[in-house]
Every structure is written in structure tokens, then in C-alpha cells.
């Protein structure tokens, strides 16, 4: 009997048969969910640009038993709901990350997971859909999260999609399709059919993340991937067959057509490693910049101790030693055209930290921000030099280390040199002891943008309630009438 490509089989087997048995994974999943919901509410509360992307395709329509989009009044079909939820989580570049040969944001997958599971839960309660398994509870939600994180993260550890011009959200589409198929109650064979559709789909290019082409699409690219994932799973549910060898077929398969004949490398078996090693963003900067911000603030403190209060006039040059991924993604010279450009420019972010004396905030990247027009910031940007370091790159790629290291040396105009400050594991990294406390504080702060403190406490407790129905959890994120944005 013909067989599917082995990667497809391995992903299906993991989704259906792997038992999660480490307390660390469950704890990490709950923290990731809490952080992601905070990111979504932050976006709904603060970003008018994002809010314009949300809502039903036909205005003022409501889907029966539809997904209640957190932080808004929208009730959506699962496909548009997947787009909107992922976009809320991702748009302000404040959600978690994982890195390897490629990069990505595993909480993007919650767009599909939450939209589909909430819609299913409401439909079952209403009697419009018959659904036997899995149970639509918070424990199932945590399971789906862990497995989506693992699929996306393990696939990027040694497979550099960006070297082929392909954007990393292809792995959001892959992970979400696999997990949503399971949530929908599809058979194992149907799930492989759905996964096969991912590889036959056209894949987005990274062009919108680079140079003069950097545009806000990077904020909704994950939403697009989740929307496609949900659609592919639903098409399979409706009876559409898949293909057996969409990866390995000579000439026409993904490997030959899109990956220069290379095959995927999977250095570790699927388990729960990714969710346990996810990097949380405790500041709204591209994740590879976090260590440099921490180093900049340490140097600024040392300068102030010497009576040096003006970084632009007191600094001659700043040397940043980092990994090759940082150099590729956020080492930018020349004009910056929009917020999406600024929050992916290491020189802008570091200059901002020196001039503000604190980590960047979302408003600092906007076109109407004083920093976006600051000549002082532009002059300081020109003094920053970034270079990739082989040792730091190896530590970054080593799954047993996974450092996010950056070293910063500051040369002063008075001839003195502030020696290198090296940050290996910044706050937000799983190896930093302060990460959990700071991430919880971040999530609470974001949720308080829309909800009173007492309700935020109830939300935090709900994240921990394994038996709560997913729809009851989502209902808790309906905004108070006084705070409703949409």
C-alpha cells in the first residue's frame, strides 16, 4: 500500500499518540497562554491599525455559534476568527519566540487553536455539531498548544526556510493544520491528508521583512497562515483527499520545487522541548534585540555614574557582537519607513534604550512618535556597528545551550572604553530565573488595559483550570461595555 512522506507520518503520530508527561511542559503551556492572551488584549486596546483588519468580511454580520474574538465584540466564523486571533497576538511583536536555523513565534498557532476550539465548543453545546473527541476543555487547549509549539519549533531547528526565500510562517500553517485536524476529530488518515495540503500550498516569501520592503504584513502573516490552516483542515473534513508524497515527488514535490532538492532534518523527536524553551518577549522588540537592550541599559548606568548624561555627544562608537541571525534579521542601515521597519532595526532599538534610559515601548515605533523623527537618535544609530560572531552563533544554534547572547562595548569620546557587557540569557529566556515572574507581570499589565484588576485575577486563575470549557474561558475576554473597542 502506498505510504505518505515520513515527515507527515511522524507529525500525525505525534499529534495523536504522544502523551505529555512532564510538569514543566504543562506549566510552560499555561504561562504561554496567559502571555498570549495579554498580547492579544494589548493589541486590541492600543493598535488602531490592527483593529481595522478585524471583524467579519461582511460588516455587521454574526456567525451562529461563532468564535468570540477576545477584546472585541466580533463573533466570527472559524476561518476569519483564526486570522483575527493570530493577528491580535502577533501584531505588536510582543509574543513569544523560538529560534534555530530559522525563527518563529509559536504562539501564532493559538489563532487557529482558539478559533476552532471555541467554535466547536459552542456548536456542540447548541447541538449543531456532533463531536466525540477530544474533550473541549482547557486541558485539551494546553495539549494543542504544546504540540503546535513542538511541531513548529522542531521543524525550524535545523531547516533554514529563509535561505530559500520562504517565510517561517509556513511552519505555523503546518503546525496549526495538524493540531486543528485533531481538534476537529478527523481520523489519522484525514490528518495526513490535511498536512499534505500544506506542502502543496503556495508559500509566502520573506520579502516583507527586509529592507525597503518591510511593511506591516509581518504583523498579519501569522494570521494568514492560521486562516489557511483552518481552511485546509475544514476542506479535508468536507471530504477532500490529500496527496501521499507532496514533499518527495521528483520535480513537482516541495523538496525539488522549493527546497533546492534538500530534505528536512529533524535533530530531535517530537516531545515538549519547544514549549519548555520558548523565549518570552518582556519588551516589544524583535526577540534578537533583547540582550542588546539589557546591555545598553547597563552601559548607560555606568556612563551616568561617571557624570556622562548625553549619549549622542559622549559616545564615539558602540560595538555589538552577536549571532548571525541577529545580523541577518535586524542589522539595518539607512532610512526606516514605518513602525514595522523600526521595531526590526537593532540600531534604532539600542539608540532608543540609550536615549530613553528604559526599554522601548510600542508607541516609540509609530510614525507620530518623537523618536521616529529624532535627529539625536539618527546620529546615535550611525555610531552602532554590528558583527556576527561564530562562537555566539554556535551557542545560539546548540539546542543544549540556546543562548541569545549579545556583547556590547562602548567607546567614549574622552578616549575611555567601557568594556564588553555580555548578556547570554536575558529576561524572557527559559534559563533566566526571573522570566516567569516578569512574564506574569507583563501579562497582567496588558490585560489591565481593558479589564479591572479583579477580573484579571479571575483570568489568571482560569488559565490554570484544566476542566473549564474552552468557550467559558473565551467568554471571560469579552470587553466591558465601557472598554469595548469594536
Amino acid at each position: 500500500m502506498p505510504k505518505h512522506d515520513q515527515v507527515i507520518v511522524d507529525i500525525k503520530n505525534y499529534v495523536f499518540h504522544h502523551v505529555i508527561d512532564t510538569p514543566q511542559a504543562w506549566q510552560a503551556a499555561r504561562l504561554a497562554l496567559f502571555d498570549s492572551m495579554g498580547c492579544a488584549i494589548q493589541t486590541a486596546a492600543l493598535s488602531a491599525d490592527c483593529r481595522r483588519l478585524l471583524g467579519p468580511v461582511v460588516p455587521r454580520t454574526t456567525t451562529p455559534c461563532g468564535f468570540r474574538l477576545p477584546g472585541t465584540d466580533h463573533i466570527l466564523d472559524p476561518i476569519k476568527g483564526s486570522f483575527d486571533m493570530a493577528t491580535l497576538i502577533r501584531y505588536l511583536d510582543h509574543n513569544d519566540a523560538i529560534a534555530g536555523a530559522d525563527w518563529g513565534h509559536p504562539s501564532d498557532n493559538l489563532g487557529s487553536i482558539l478559533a476552532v476550539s471555541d467554535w466547536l465548543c459552542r456548536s456542540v453545546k447548541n447541538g449543531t455539531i456532533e463531536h466525540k473527541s477530544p474533550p473541549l476543555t482547557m486541558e485539551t487547549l494546553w495539549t494543542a498548544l504544546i504540540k503546535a509549539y513542538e511541531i513548529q519549533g522542531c521543524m525550524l531547528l535545523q531547516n533554514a526556510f529563509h535561505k530559500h526565500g520562504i517565510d517561517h510562517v509556513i511552519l505555523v500553517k503546518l503546525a496549526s493544520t495538524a493540531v486543528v485536524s485533531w481538534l476537529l476529530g478527523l481520523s489519522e488518515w484525514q490528518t495526513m491528508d490535511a498536512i499534505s495540503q500544506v506542502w502543496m500550498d503556495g508559500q509566502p516569501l520573506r520579502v516583507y521583512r527586509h529592507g525597503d520592503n518591510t511593511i506591516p504584513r509581518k504583523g498579519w502573516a501569522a494570521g494568514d497562515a492560521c486562516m489557511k490552516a483552518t481552511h485546509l483542515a475544514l476542506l479535508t473534513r468536507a471530504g477532500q483527499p490529500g496527496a501521499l508524497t507532496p514533499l518527495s515527488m521528483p520535480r513537482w514535490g516541495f523538496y525539488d520545487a522549493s527546497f533546492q532538492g534538500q530534505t528536512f532534518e529533524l535533530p530531535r523527536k517530537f516531545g515538549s522541548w519547544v514549549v519548555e524553551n520558548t523565549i518570552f518577549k518582556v519588551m516589544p522588540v524583535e526577540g534578537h534585540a533583547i540582550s542588546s537592550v539589557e546591555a545598553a541599559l547597563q552601559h548607560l548606568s555606568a556612563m551616568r555614574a561617571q557624570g556622562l548624561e548625553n549619549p549622542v555627544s559622549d559616545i564615539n562608537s558602540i560595538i555589538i557582537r552577536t549571532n548571525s541571525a541577529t545580523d541577518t534579521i535586524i542589522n539595518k542601515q539607512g532610512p526606516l519607513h514605518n513602525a514595522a521597519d523600526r521595531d526590526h532595526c537593532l540600531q534604532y532599538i539600542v539608540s532608543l534604550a540609550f536615549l530613553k534610559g528604559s526599554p522601548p515601548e510600542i508607541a516609540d515605533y509609530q510614525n507620530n512618535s518623537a523618536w521616529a523623527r529624532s535627529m539625536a537618535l539618527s546620529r546615535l544609530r550611525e555610531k552602532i556597528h554590528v558583527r556576527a560572531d561564530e562562537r555566539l552563533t554556535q551557542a545560539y544554534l546548540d539546542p543544549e545551550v540556546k543562548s541569545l547572547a549579545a556583547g556590547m562595548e562602548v567607546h567614549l569620546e574622552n578616549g575611555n572604553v567601557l568594556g564588553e557587557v555580555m548578556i547570554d540569557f536575558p529576561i524572557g529566556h527559559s534559563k533566566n530565573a526571573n522570566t516567569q515572574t516578569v512574564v506574569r507581570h507583563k501579562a497582567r499589565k496588558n490585560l489591565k488595559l481593558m479589564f479591572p484588576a479583579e477580573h484579571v485575577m479571575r483570568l489568571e486563575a482560569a488559565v490554570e483550570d484544566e476542566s473549564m470549557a474552552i468557550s467559558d474561558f473565551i467568554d471571560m475576554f469579552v470587553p466591558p461595555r465601557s472598554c469595548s473597542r469594536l
Side-chain angles (χ1 to χ4, degrees), residues 179-215:
V179 170
V180 163
S181 295
W182 171 71
L183 286 170
L184 286 168
L186 301 189
S187 70
E188 294 186 33
W189 187 274
Q190 286 176 309
T191 297
M192 290 192 289
D193 281 348
I195 294 170
S196 77
Q197 298 284 0
V198 173
W199 301 116
M200 293 184 284
D201 228 19
Q203 312 302 344
L205 303 178
R206 280 190 61 88
V207 63
Y208 50 81
R209 299 183 190 273
H210 294 281
D212 291 343
N213 290 308
T214 305
I215 54 175

Side-chain angles (χ1 to χ4, degrees), residues 303-427:
M303 289 173 62
R304 287 174 173 173
Q306 297 179 29
L308 303 173
E309 299 288 342
N310 189 334
V312 178
S313 60
D314 293 329
I315 292 175
N316 176 271
S317 64
I318 298 169
I319 311 299
I320 299 175
R321 188 165 60 95
T322 185
N323 56 69
S324 61
T326 304
D327 184 47
T328 298
I329 301 170
I330 54 174
N331 180 7
K332 288 187 178 180
Q333 307 292 333
L336 301 173
H337 304 288
N338 50 53
D341 222 1
R342 296 181 196 103
D343 71 20
H344 271 54
C345 174
L346 182 59
Q347 290 87 340
Y348 184 94
I349 293 166
V350 169
S351 298
L352 193 56
F354 270 105
L355 294 172
K356 283 186 65 178
S358 61
E361 298 173 273
I362 289 163
D364 299 331
Y365 303 118
Q366 306 308 310
N367 291 341
N368 60 1
S369 167
W371 297 113
R373 304 184 300 273
S374 168
M375 294 304 298
L377 190 148
S378 295
R379 289 198 297 273
L380 193 54
R381 269 187 69 200
E382 294 173 355
K383 298 183 179 186
I384 299 174
H385 308 281
V386 181
R387 65 180 181 86
D389 180 273
E390 180 62 26
R391 183 181 67 81
L392 298 186
T393 298
Q394 290 303 314
Y396 169 87
L397 293 172
D398 185 342
E400 301 306 317
V401 180
K402 293 305 294 179
S403 81
L404 203 61
M408 182 180 295
E409 185 177 273
V410 177
H411 295 249
L412 301 173
E413 287 289 356
N414 62 15
N416 293 335
V417 176
L418 301 181
E420 185 178 72
V421 171
M422 175 63 68
I423 305 293
D424 289 293
F425 305 107
I427 296 176

Side-chain angles (χ1 to χ4, degrees), residues 80-103:
K80 186 57 165 64
S82 297
F83 175 91
D84 286 11
M85 188 68 222
T87 301
L88 277 177
I89 292 170
R90 178 77 195 109
Y91 201 80
L92 295 179
D93 206 3
H94 210 178
N95 64 322
D96 57 25
I98 193 72
D102 217 308
W103 320 284

Side-chain angles (χ1 to χ4, degrees), residues 130-237:
E130 183 179 342
H131 181 81
K132 295 181 179 179
S133 65
L136 299 169
T137 63
M138 292 297 287
E139 184 176 7
T140 296
L141 178 57
W142 303 336
T143 301
L145 182 154
I146 291 168
K147 292 188 174 181
Y149 273 50
E150 189 74 359
I151 295 166
Q152 180 180 355
C154 286
M155 286 293 295
L156 62 74
L157 285 178
Q158 289 189 9
N159 300 303
F161 290 84
H162 67 94
K163 290 186 177 180
H164 306 278
I166 300 171
D167 192 49
H168 54 69
V169 295
I170 184 178
L171 299 179
V172 176
K173 182 163 51 174
L174 173 67
S176 289
T177 299
V179 170
V180 163
S181 295
W182 171 71
L183 286 170
L184 286 168
L186 301 189
S187 70
E188 294 186 33
W189 187 274
Q190 286 176 309
T191 297
M192 290 192 289
D193 281 348
I195 294 170
S196 77
Q197 298 284 0
V198 173
W199 301 116
M200 293 184 284
D201 228 19
Q203 312 302 344
L205 303 178
R206 280 190 61 88
V207 63
Y208 50 81
R209 299 183 190 273
H210 294 281
D212 291 343
N213 290 308
T214 305
I215 54 175
R217 177 170 177 157
K218 71 182 183 64
W220 55 261
D224 182 60
C226 284
M227 178 170 63
K228 290 301 296 289
T230 298
H231 193 200
L232 293 175
L234 289 172
L235 286 170
T236 304
R237 181 172 175 259

Side-chain angles (χ1 to χ4, degrees), residues 34-35 38 438-448 456:
F34 191 46
D35 176 61
V438 176
V439 171
R440 288 193 176 276
H441 174 76
K442 167 200 167 187
R444 293 182 194 120
K445 181 180 177 182
N446 284 337
L447 291 167
K448 287 175 184 177
V456 171

